[in-house]
Amino acid sequence: MKRTMLIAATLIAALWSARPVAAEVQDARGVGDGSLALAASPEARVPAPLLDLAPRVDLLSQFGATPVQFGAVAYRPRGRYYRREEPWLGTQTQIHAGFFDPDGDTGTGFVLGMRGGPMVDPNIQLGLGVDWEHRSEEQSEVVGTSSGPGGTVITTRRQLSSSSENTFPLMGFMQVSGNEGMSVVTYGCIGGGFEIVTLSATDFSSGSSFDATYGGWGWQAWGGAKVPLSGRASVVGEVYLNQSEPHRDVDDPVTGQTFRETVKLNGFGMRFGLSWGM
């Protein structure tokens, strides 16, 4: 009898303590169909005190209510102003020397120059280059010979004439090359720009001289290979084609007519040098 009364007292105490929870669940329902009606925003429909009943949610199943579950929502704030960072590919610079052999019977000239520009792609470079091409020629005649100390033969010459030509091609270019990871990197390029030529000559027998400056558009194309060294430096060698016909207009003081003088600088050459990146 005492055991039965103890069990009954325990059940009455449990039911009495559950009444506040049942009342809150009834308020949260808002309808009498035994289910919770939630809007698009759960916080707008569920009372704030119910959100703090996480330890007591399991008790809801004892009174016929469907447990409420809220999915975790996370977001990362993004600034109003943002910019995608592009990788900096750096620049490539090259210095070189070589020779140029124009068409015709003129002699071969010495070439010295440099070029450089940014890498817009790992395999594409845009830039600007300038060369100096020099050729000179002298004519002389032997006047006589004599013996010097120790039997050295001394030859005496009289200079008859001298001439020189200096060309300065200023070219913008686009160069396409292979991957830098290759043991030998091949490349090809095409460029175009303006070429300036200065000619000078002196005839010592008559005392006359000639000086003139010519200019005109031209283009170059070249192909070559470079062998990487330590770091980002490479040894380069290339063959190039130059096509240009600089000119100038002169007036004949006798007839008053205007004539155009043209210097042809079409030919092939080779350049060797050093290339490095920054």
Side-chain angles (χ1 to χ4, degrees):
M1 184 68 176
K2 291 182 179 181
R3 183 177 181 181
T4 302
M5 293 179 64
L6 181 60
I7 293 174
T10 301
L11 290 176
I12 292 173
L15 291 174
W16 183 263
S17 62
R19 288 180 62 190
V21 178
E24 292 176 357
V25 172
Q26 184 66 25
D27 293 339
R29 287 178 184 175
V31 293
D33 57 355
S35 62
L36 291 177
L38 299 178
S41 177
E43 291 82 355
R45 296 296 305 273
V46 180
L50 185 58
L51 298 178
D52 299 329
L53 296 178
R56 300 167 60 185
V57 168
D58 292 338
L59 295 177
L60 298 179
S61 60
Q62 301 179 13
F63 302 96
T66 303
V68 180
Q69 297 181 356
F70 298 94
V73 178
Y75 79 99
R76 183 179 61 185
R78 186 163 122 181
R80 182 178 178 184
Y81 303 100
Y82 68 95
R83 180 170 62 89
R84 186 182 67 174
E85 295 292 338
E86 296 290 347
W88 171 247
L89 300 175
T91 61
Q92 287 286 333
T93 305
Q94 174 179 314
I95 57 174
H96 51 253
F99 63 89
F100 177 66
D101 186 14
D103 298 339
D105 297 332
T106 56
T108 300
F110 171 77
V111 175
L112 181 66
M114 68 178 300
R115 66 174 181 260
M119 299 294 297
V120 298
D121 183 88
N123 305 104
I124 300 177
Q125 180 188 14
L126 299 179
L128 187 67
V130 61
D131 283 343
W132 169 49
E133 185 258 318
H134 174 75
R135 288 184 292 127
S136 62
E137 185 179 354
E138 293 183 353
Q139 292 183 352
S140 62
E141 63 179 3
V142 178
V143 176
T145 59
S146 60
S147 297
T152 303
V153 177
I154 300 174
T155 302
T156 304
R157 291 178 175 271
R158 181 173 59 190
Q159 190 173 7
L160 301 177
S161 64
S162 66
S163 63
S164 65
E165 173 260 322
N166 295 281
T167 303
F168 303 92
L170 181 63
M171 299 279 178
F173 68 89
M174 180 181 72
Q175 180 169 296
V176 180
S177 61
N179 295 328
E180 292 294 331
M182 302 170 60
S183 57
V184 178
V185 181
T186 58
Y187 60 89
C189 183
I190 187 168
F194 199 79
E195 298 193 19
I196 300 175
V197 183
T198 61
L199 296 179
S200 62
T202 302
D203 189 342
F204 296 101
S205 60
S206 63
S208 62
S209 61
F210 174 83
D211 290 284
T213 301
Y214 302 81
W217 299 100
W219 62 273
Q220 290 185 2
W222 61 84
K226 56 184 178 180
V227 179
L229 302 176
S230 60
R232 299 190 64 183
S234 302
V235 177
V236 300
E238 60 190 34
V239 179
Y240 74 97
L241 167 68
N242 186 86
Q243 295 287 305
S244 178
E245 294 187 1
H247 60 270
R248 72 166 185 161
D249 294 333
V250 295
D251 297 328
D252 190 340
V254 177
T255 63
Q257 296 179 338
T258 301
F259 298 91
R260 171 160 291 189
E261 295 179 350
T262 303
V263 179
K264 290 188 177 181
L265 293 176
N266 303 330
F268 290 89
M270 296 189 71
R271 295 181 289 224
F272 306 91
L274 182 67
S275 173
W276 68 92
M278 297 177 60

